[in-house]
Amino acid sequence: MVRMVKEFGIFINGQWTESSRNEFFETLNPATGEVLARFARGNARDVDLAVRSAEKGFRVWKEIPAPMRGEVLLKAALNLEKHKDELGLLVTKEMGKILSEGKGEVQEAIDFFKYMAGEGRRMFGETTPSELPDKFNMTVRLPKGPVGMITPWNFPVSIPSWKMGAALIAGCSIVLKPATDTPLCAARFVELVDEAGFPPGVISMVPGSGSDVGSPLINHPSIRAISFTGGVATGREVYTEGAKRLIQVHLELGGKNPVIVMDDANMDIVADGVLFGAFGTSGQRCTATSRLIVQEGAYRKLMDVLTARIEKLKVGNPADVDVDMGPVINRKAKDSIMGYIDIGKKEGGKVLTGGESLEGGVYSRGNFIQPTMIETKHGSRISTEEIFGPVLSVIRVRDFDDAISVANGVQYGLSSAIYTRDVNRAFKAIRLLESGITYINAPTIGAEIHLPFGGVKSTGTGGREAGSSAIEEFTELKSVFIDYSDRLQKAQIDTESRLRERTEEVEKQA
Ligand code: UN1
């Protein structure tokens, strides 16, 4: 029996339209190899159509009062809630994370849209005193314009939701280029959000590659900002292209996130956290725990507990409820991760558990790897480069200072964690760890959406997604001076004379 696979073009003005180029790519289930859908290979002409529509959408959307925009976002959240199971299952099928994580990711999108809906009634500016009498000063936030977003495959729903939720409440129209590995999740997400009643042109999506779609999007003269989440190499290109146009580029890049374990920690709780942090989503999170930095006294015990626990993890089709860890996204990713395991061994690392590719039987059509833990030394490639897979590097350290210096000794700085029951050390670690997110007694993953998300060093360019700072990415601040004195008043004039004049004026009025 031949199963018909659905074909998608580009999404503009609230509907799917044919791409100007009649070529398609397939999106696959990474656990089974099943073809899920076919998507148009978008191109610069499609991008131009989408951005033109976004220009029209922007002209309308920015004039809708922000609290009213919030109502539409809330409707989108409720629609996502209604379809949570369907969309969660789709995430599992197309991205390969286990069902509970697929649904969890959709919940993150729902929560964020609800949070941003409320932002429509805040969007605070400042009011300040003026230097001059009868004058009022304030700041207001205005939307940047049509904005482009380029999103990764590891969170195919929630990362688009962070970017879109913030941009939409701010009053921007958006053009989304989703990852080529997960366009179906993005397509369904865009449909469900759009159904809430956004005016035509506010939301568009163009599938396709970085060079065919991403680059024309960054370079389109009407695009006012780009928000990108992905790898460092691509991020550097996106930044360079955006810099040439002098537009704002928000980058959310890699990580090499450490969990520090001090001797005084409770090892069972550490093991729970490390399993979740390192092997949740098969280690394919920017926030994944990829380094375990353990103080000498805790080392033996923790390795024993962890090895036993890792060996019990069930790897398989993530749609089966009893599976703990699914596949990695595609063949290329699998080869690269296996390559890293090899490098780890060659540079003297010792595989404590795992390390093998899983083949045959249920694994024969998918991209499966054993959850792997390798003992290594700080400075080795596997302990400093982002692997983006189920590989945990373990490094032994002497004491707290040693642990902090190892933790900070990489180019990344997204998330970090320390397990200790010593409150003084915990607070010191908060200050000393170079990362945008720090957890105490919890692993490096699982950020909550109402706090800012982002990193330092090569992880990003300084801005933060999610949380109270999310709308900064998509708004311009305008400073406003309102003079109601009925005369020309000049700022920055000699204080002494001004003070005298004003005193005389007030005395006369009295
Ligand atoms: C990512 O990996 O790019 O904190 C995002 C977490 C998730 C988001 C991760 N809430 O692990």
Side-chain angles (χ1 to χ4, degrees):
M1 194 181 79
V2 182
R3 209 169 67 85
M4 288 301 289
V5 173
K6 215 171 152 191
E7 272 178 8
F8 291 82
I10 57 178
F11 188 86
I12 344 182
N13 297 324
Q15 56 198 31
W16 292 101
T17 317
E18 272 180 33
S19 154
S20 60
R21 184 162 79 177
N22 202 27
E23 276 177 40
F24 291 84
F25 66 94
E26 290 175 340
T27 173
L28 311 175
N29 181 329
T32 63
E34 178 199 0
V35 177
L36 299 172
R38 281 153 52 87
F39 276 80
R41 282 186 200 284
N43 58 24
R45 267 187 63 194
D46 297 332
V47 170
D48 189 51
L49 273 180
V51 178
R52 279 170 198 273
S53 139
E55 282 169 30
K56 286 202 193 114
F58 177 62
R59 281 200 283 277
V60 176
W61 188 235
K62 73 183 173 65
E63 296 303 326
I64 309 287
M68 212 185 281
R69 295 200 291 260
E71 292 299 319
V72 189
L73 265 87
L74 182 58
K75 270 203 187 148
L78 298 176
N79 201 29
L80 290 168
E81 215 160 47
K82 220 168 86 191
H83 293 85
K84 180 175 165 182
D85 288 350
E86 173 212 326
L87 195 52
L89 179 62
L90 186 60
V91 170
T92 292
K93 280 189 170 169
E94 193 181 28
M95 186 277 156
K97 60 181 72 174
I98 58 172
L99 262 181
S100 58
E101 288 178 2
K103 283 188 201 161
E105 159 161 10
V106 178
Q107 188 60 48
E108 208 168 299
I110 296 166
D111 294 343
F112 191 62
F113 265 63
K114 285 184 180 168
Y115 177 60
M116 281 293 110
E119 194 58 34
R121 291 187 184 270
R122 287 184 292 265
M123 221 155 321
F124 298 130
E126 310 171 56
T127 61
T128 73
S130 166
E131 292 175 9
L132 297 160
D134 295 333
K135 195 177 166 206
F136 184 81
N137 296 348
M138 66 178 171
T139 61
V140 290
R141 286 195 176 274
L142 298 172
K144 277 192 186 285
V147 295
M149 23 204 72
I150 302 175
T151 54
W153 48 262
N154 67 333
F155 281 86
V157 167
S158 69
I159 291 181
S161 87
W162 294 359
K163 299 188 191 301
M164 276 168 64
L168 291 171
I169 197 64
C172 297
S173 57
I174 71 105
V175 179
L176 171 68
K177 186 210 101 61
T180 46
D181 280 302
T182 51
L184 191 54
C185 288
R188 192 65 189 126
F189 176 69
V190 158
E191 284 173 359
L192 290 171
V193 170
D194 199 68
E195 272 170 26
F198 288 90
V202 174
I203 297 173
S204 311
M205 171 179 138
V206 184
S209 71
S211 51
D212 289 347
V213 177
S215 181
L217 185 58
I218 303 165
N219 286 297
H220 197 292
S222 297
I223 286 291
R224 296 309 318 148
I226 287 285
S227 186
F228 171 85
T229 299
V232 165
T234 317
R236 193 169 277 127
E237 281 174 38
V238 170
Y239 204 19
T240 309
E241 291 199 51
K244 284 188 199 139
R245 288 200 48 232
L246 299 179
I247 55 169
Q248 184 192 290
V249 176
H250 179 92
L251 299 176
E252 202 59 69
L253 310 175
K256 191 72 191 173
N257 314 291
V259 163
I260 297 175
V261 182
M262 303 307 294
D263 287 349
D264 68 339
N266 176 327
M267 293 309 145
D268 291 316
I269 295 171
V270 173
D272 285 340
V274 172
L275 280 190
F276 180 49
F279 305 115
T281 324
S282 306
Q284 302 168 108
R285 296 194 191 205
C286 314
T287 51
T289 302
S290 52
R291 292 183 295 153
L292 185 57
I293 301 170
V294 190
Q295 197 181 2
E296 264 158 3
Y299 195 80
R300 251 319 17 108
K301 164 127 200 264
L302 182 58
M303 289 309 108
D304 290 345
V305 178
L306 258 180
T307 312
R309 296 279 305 270
I310 293 171
E311 281 165 9
K312 282 205 194 92
L313 290 178
K314 185 165 179 210
V315 183
N317 187 330
D320 296 341
V321 280
D322 61 338
V323 160
D324 300 306
M325 194 181 97
V328 298
I329 189 70
N330 55 35
R331 187 74 226 181
K332 207 172 137 209
K334 177 169 170 172
D335 290 346
S336 150
I337 298 161
M338 291 310 299
Y340 267 113
I341 294 175
D342 230 39
I343 291 170
K345 287 186 208 158
K346 286 199 183 113
E347 56 190 5
K350 183 171 149 210
V351 177
L352 300 173
T353 180
E356 302 294 325
S357 155
L358 292 164
E359 311 284 342
V362 287
Y363 302 126
S364 56
R365 317 256 328 255
N367 315 301
F368 293 94
I369 299 176
Q370 283 182 329
T372 298
M373 184 159 73
I374 306 184
E375 189 182 74
T376 183
K377 290 223 160 26
H378 175 59
S380 62
R381 283 186 64 192
I382 55 158
S383 75
T384 47
E385 295 179 19
E386 187 177 44
I387 300 176
F388 225 67
V391 180
L392 177 66
S393 300
V394 192
I395 303 153
R396 196 194 298 234
V397 291
R398 280 186 316 276
D399 53 21
F400 178 78
D401 292 339
D402 198 11
I404 296 284
S405 107
V406 168
N408 289 342
V410 294
Q411 64 163 322
Y412 299 107
L414 180 54
S415 185
S416 60
I418 181 165
Y419 281 84
T420 177
R421 281 181 282 193
D422 178 337
V423 68
N424 297 2
R425 266 197 208 135
F427 270 88
K428 271 189 196 142
I430 293 171
R431 196 182 71 236
L432 296 173
L433 284 168
E434 295 168 355
S435 61
I437 303 166
T438 290
Y439 292 87
I440 306 298
N441 296 326
T444 54
I445 69 171
E448 297 177 34
I449 54 88
H450 55 295
L451 271 83
F453 182 95
V456 304
K457 305 201 293 200
S458 298
T459 293
T461 40
R464 292 288 182 269
E465 291 194 302
S468 52
S469 49
I471 54 164
E472 285 166 18
E473 196 183 334
F474 300 106
T475 51
E476 298 285 1
L477 269 183
K478 177 176 286 202
S479 300
V480 186
F481 304 96
I482 304 156
D483 190 320
Y484 54 97
S485 69
D486 254 342
R487 59 187 155 154
L488 172 66
Q489 301 197 89
K490 296 179 182 162
Q492 288 111 27
I493 300 176
D494 155 46
T495 313
E496 234 171 79
S497 65
R498 181 147 14 112
L499 180 62
R500 200 175 337 106
E501 271 167 37
R502 183 65 184 155
T503 310
E504 282 166 16
E505 235 172 54
V506 176
E507 276 169 357
K508 229 185 272 160
Q509 282 163 10

